[in-house]
Amino acid sequence: MQKLRGALIGCGFFAVNQMHAWNDVEGAEIVAICDRDAERLRIVGDQFAIARRYSDAAQMFADGGFDFVDIATTVQSHRALVEMAAAHKVPAICQKPFARTLSDAKAMVAACHAAGIPLMVHENFRWQTPIQAVRKALDAGAIGEPFWGRFSFRSGFDVFSGQPYLAEGERFIIEDLGIHTLDIARFILGDVTKLVARTRRVNPKIRGEDVATILLDHEGGATSIVDVSYATKLGTEPFPETLIELDGTEGTIRLSQGYRLEITNASGTSVTDVAPQLLSWASRPWHNIQESVFAIQQHWADRLRDGGETSTSGADNLKTFALVEAAYESAASGNPVEIGALLK
Ligand code: NAD
Ligand code: 89V
């Protein structure tokens, strides 16, 4: 089997995980990289022995010779780079947050659709082992019909040292982290019709909000809470675990700190360890995220080969991105926001 050849744009903090994961993905390899920062290009090129290096994405696309592009830059460049991929008919993966605005995100999906190329958002959190375990338990009917849920990420971890730009934006936790938690809520309980949100900034050294609480109505009738915080100082730091509580007609699921999955139903209570693997290149506490990076990239390679739709396609991600926009709108106005109107 000939390997799919990929090109990666953006050789920053997180791209190193993506490069390691591409080394492990069966059936794909990175053959070219691009970064406008010469030092980042050199570091990543040398670390992963990539000979084809570019400072300009347009030049890389013009030279071609790859089957897909992995866009690992920050949000400002996503629309231009996805549209460049569409113009060259190159299937594209784009990091989250997908775009700066929902209208940009819609334009990106439309451009790839018109070009006839697959587009996947690198929304990896739903690919984490503990999240997949919750989904599997629900699919197996372990708790009947879920009617209530809580998706919680509360931490005091210093994310700003690795990603200084997170302290600078007008928007912070919903756009950067809550976007994952909202996607998990959709993945577990289905699409959302309406939400209401409250936010605040506790850390005076950053510009955006670092705490958010969001109440969601799901299409299937369930109600859930998504609560996220980077201002929560706990005895044992849980970063980067998403904790889940689900109540169903036949039982309950609790995914608690330490990757402990407890399921209670008529058969009694079972407890399972759903900890992620520590991949050879991974390091704690990031290994949960790092393993999901491998999983989503393997999924991309598999779907690119068989022509199937990816779990977090651009079209799917519009429904997560709409929740981000709705949460900011609701926090600003104080009112609930209907999601259907945003997606029209
Ligand atoms: P970063 O600033 O460390 O790296 C971005 C790199 O892209 C920089 O080296 C920059 O020079 C380069 N770049 C930007 N625009 C470019 C362009 N037009 N052409 C070529 N190079 C360009 O950022 P990061 O922390 O690595 O984050 C990158 C993305 O990954 C963000 O969107 C972030 O939200 C996301 N991220 C995702 C996860 C996750 O688990 N899914 C975790 C961390 C970061
Ligand atoms: O996953 C992310 O997008 C990261 C972090 C986990 C630090 O929020 O930015």
Side-chain angles (χ1 to χ4, degrees):
M1 175 177 75
Q2 215 187 341
K3 285 187 175 182
L4 294 164
R5 297 158 305 164
L8 178 134
I9 309 175
C11 299
F13 169 79
F14 201 68
V16 173
N17 295 313
Q18 293 175 229
M19 290 297 290
H20 276 298
W22 284 122
N23 274 343
D24 287 355
V25 167
E26 213 176 294
E29 64 180 337
I30 296 297
V31 297
I33 56 172
C34 170
D35 200 302
R36 58 189 179 196
D37 177 331
E39 184 61 0
R40 288 306 308 170
L41 191 63
R42 186 191 63 73
I43 289 170
V44 171
D46 290 357
Q47 185 178 357
F48 294 94
I50 307 294
R52 282 184 63 191
R53 302 177 190 182
Y54 292 86
S55 58
D56 177 17
Q59 187 59 55
M60 188 173 79
F61 277 109
D63 288 355
F66 44 89
D67 306 306
F68 70 91
V69 64
D70 185 5
I71 299 165
T73 60
T74 42
V75 70
Q76 294 79 2
S77 51
H78 287 177
R79 180 169 176 178
L81 293 172
V82 166
E83 288 180 346
M84 218 181 269
H88 288 83
K89 298 209 183 299
V90 174
I93 307 171
C94 180
Q95 254 298 347
K96 49 61 63 178
F98 188 19
R100 276 186 303 191
T101 63
L102 186 56
S103 69
D104 275 1
K106 286 176 182 170
M108 291 152 76
V109 170
C112 291
H113 181 73
I117 55 152
L119 168 65
M120 179 179 86
V121 178
H122 198 294
E123 177 42 78
N124 51 321
F125 269 41
R126 64 163 76 176
W127 285 98
Q128 291 171 6
T129 293
I131 308 301
Q132 292 281 325
V134 170
R135 181 70 257 169
K136 280 194 193 103
L138 273 183
D139 289 345
I143 63 163
E145 194 59 41
F147 60 83
W148 179 88
R150 178 178 175 204
F151 305 89
S152 179
F153 187 111
R154 312 195 74 78
S155 167
F157 191 78
D158 171 23
V159 287
F160 308 108
S161 54
Q163 297 163 264
Y165 58 90
L166 294 179
E168 293 154 15
E170 206 174 301
R171 293 177 167 189
F172 168 40
I173 199 166
I174 301 174
E175 182 181 80
D176 182 68
L177 185 273
I179 196 167
H180 294 305
T181 326
L182 289 163
D183 188 69
I184 290 171
R186 278 190 57 232
F187 180 58
I188 298 294
L189 288 179
D191 285 332
V192 174
T193 54
K194 195 196 279 190
L195 65 72
V196 64
R198 299 289 180 264
T199 59
R200 62 174 293 173
R201 178 170 57 88
V202 175
N203 180 348
K205 295 190 188 131
I206 67 170
R207 255 185 97 200
E209 84 292 348
D210 53 2
V211 179
T213 308
I214 308 169
L215 179 65
L216 308 159
D217 287 336
H218 293 264
E219 271 174 10
T223 305
S224 77
I225 298 158
V226 163
D227 61 289
V228 290
S229 165
Y230 272 128
T232 300
K233 298 164 184 69
L234 290 157
T236 305
E237 173 53 55
F239 182 89
E241 291 184 52
T242 302
L243 310 184
I244 298 182
E245 295 171 49
L246 293 171
D247 291 2
T249 50
E250 311 297 330
T252 56
I253 292 177
R254 297 292 182 265
L255 174 62
S256 51
Q257 194 167 338
Y259 303 111
R260 180 182 186 275
L261 182 67
E262 182 183 289
I263 301 175
T264 299
N265 55 28
S267 311
T269 296
S270 69
V271 175
T272 318
D273 177 8
V274 290
Q277 290 180 75
L278 182 65
L279 296 174
S280 61
W281 47 270
S283 56
R284 293 175 196 280
W286 288 88
H287 63 300
N288 182 31
I289 290 178
Q290 288 164 321
E291 188 195 34
S292 71
V293 168
F294 164 72
I296 194 171
Q297 292 178 191
Q298 184 67 61
H299 172 66
W300 166 260
D302 294 344
R303 293 295 78 79
L304 203 53
R305 271 193 193 288
D306 68 18
E309 173 104 347
T310 54
S311 171
T312 58
S313 65
D316 177 84
N317 198 260
L318 290 180
K319 296 185 217 163
T320 293
F321 200 82
L323 303 185
V324 171
E325 292 236 323
Y328 283 114
E329 195 181 317
S330 172
S333 69
N335 298 324
V337 174
E338 299 280 349
I339 307 306
L342 293 176
L343 285 169
K344 275 185 194 140

